Amino acid sequence: MKKPTNKAYGFLSGYYEDLAAADGYAEWAEYVVKEVGKYSTGKVGCDAACGSGFFTRALKRAGYSVYGSDLSEEMLKEAEKRAISEGLSINFLRQDLKNFKAFGKLDFVTVINDGMNYLPDDAFVKSVGKIYASLKDGGLLFFDVSSAYKLKKTIGNNLFAEDLDDLTILWFNTLSEHKVKMDLTFFEKKGNVYERRDETHVQYIRSAEFIKDTLEMAGFKIEKISGHLGERLRENSERINFLAIKE
């Protein structure tokens, strides 16, 4: 029998970080730590939309006083478990990115691996303003998005599948004008049977120009816009990094 559709990152939370390892997370984390070290004037920050906390832990190991926030309770539980297993003391709190609020001014905020893509335009604008208000003067906002090229040409209206030892994943995508709806079906092996779980994710498509304008209207000075891992931005870049400073 088909299980009821679960919220995004409900079932996926337990597998997410291991599946994402194929995306070069170790090198990606090194890049994030390097950029924060180069542009942040202090050590206190938040890794927002932190998921299972991979980048939060990397920042903590690098000596930053960082906490993680995310909307998914399941992802936060996974983040806490993984931090404890590595002997790291990190606070994780449940918070919607569009209503970001810090308890004291921060030196930096990171939003790594598509967190901003989950916000529709009005919520994105609101989130940028909330983050601006939470930063110290000279504070850093560093985030990335999956590009319009990636969501329209690579992800949109495509089907992906992966068959692992104890898990099979089917990923159906539906492209509309400003977003991609992602329907994921998981078959998890439990003894001699497979249990089915379903999740729906929605990522919103917006141009680099819209993001740049939003940052500048909020009061940020844009220091750098680049492709993945700081590569030169191209028309077919699948990920775009934005590095902005509160003036």
Side-chain angles (χ1 to χ4, degrees):
M1 179 180 295
K2 180 179 177 179
K3 298 282 185 178
T5 299
N6 292 325
K7 55 190 174 183
Y9 294 108
F11 174 79
L12 183 57
S13 61
Y15 288 94
Y16 179 79
E17 195 163 303
D18 294 328
L19 291 170
D23 292 333
Y25 258 35
E27 184 181 10
W28 197 349
E30 289 179 6
Y31 169 69
V32 170
V33 170
K34 181 189 75 174
E35 292 295 271
V36 172
K38 183 177 180 180
Y39 289 97
S40 177
T41 59
K43 293 284 190 178
V44 180
C46 174
D47 182 31
C50 67
S52 60
F54 187 91
F55 298 100
T56 327
R57 301 196 306 275
L59 288 163
K60 183 70 174 182
R61 288 193 299 269
Y64 291 95
S65 177
V66 63
Y67 70 94
S69 66
D70 201 278
L71 184 60
S72 168
E73 294 179 14
E74 293 82 3
M75 283 295 242
L76 290 171
K77 289 177 183 177
E78 187 69 18
E80 290 174 349
K81 181 178 72 175
R82 288 178 179 268
I84 291 170
S85 72
E86 294 184 16
L88 298 174
S89 178
I90 303 175
N91 290 324
F92 292 97
L93 61 89
R94 187 168 185 261
Q95 187 176 76
D96 191 335
L97 185 56
K98 72 180 179 185
N99 294 317
F100 184 87
K101 182 179 180 181
F103 302 98
K105 296 291 186 178
L106 301 173
D107 296 308
F108 68 88
V109 174
T110 57
V111 190
I112 308 301
N113 196 6
D114 294 355
M116 291 296 196
N117 284 104
Y118 283 86
L119 301 176
D121 285 351
D122 56 345
F124 171 74
V125 172
K126 182 178 180 181
S127 176
V128 168
K130 293 283 189 179
I131 292 172
Y132 182 90
S134 297
L135 288 168
K136 297 177 183 177
D137 291 342
L140 166 68
L141 169 58
F142 176 35
F143 68 94
D144 64 74
V145 296
S146 282
S147 67
Y149 176 88
K150 176 183 177 181
L151 293 175
K152 289 180 178 180
K153 303 295 186 180
T154 304
I155 302 297
N157 287 332
N158 281 322
L159 164 66
F160 301 90
E162 190 165 1
D163 189 21
L164 308 174
D165 289 341
D166 296 319
L167 183 70
T168 298
I169 307 169
L170 300 177
W171 180 8
F172 301 87
N173 300 320
T174 306
L175 173 67
S176 57
E177 185 177 2
H178 298 298
K179 64 185 178 182
V180 177
K181 180 173 173 281
M182 308 174 187
D183 292 308
L184 284 77
T185 296
F186 307 91
F187 295 95
E188 183 183 29
K189 190 174 183 180
K190 295 286 190 180
N192 294 322
V193 299
Y194 281 85
E195 291 187 359
R196 176 174 175 169
R197 298 289 188 274
D198 297 275
E199 291 187 10
T200 296
H201 298 234
V202 177
Q203 289 200 13
Y204 292 87
I205 302 167
R206 58 181 60 94
S207 68
E209 290 75 18
F210 178 88
I211 295 172
K212 179 177 178 291
D213 290 346
T214 299
L215 289 167
E216 290 176 340
M217 284 189 292
F220 282 104
K221 176 186 176 184
I222 297 175
E223 289 289 334
K224 184 164 64 172
I225 302 175
S226 64
H228 189 47
L229 303 182
E231 297 172 351
R232 183 170 66 86
L233 192 62
R234 298 176 173 85
E235 288 186 4
N236 63 347
S237 293
E238 295 201 337
R239 188 168 300 282
I240 309 176
N241 293 300
F242 293 86
L243 207 151
I245 303 296
K246 177 178 179 176
E247 294 193 297

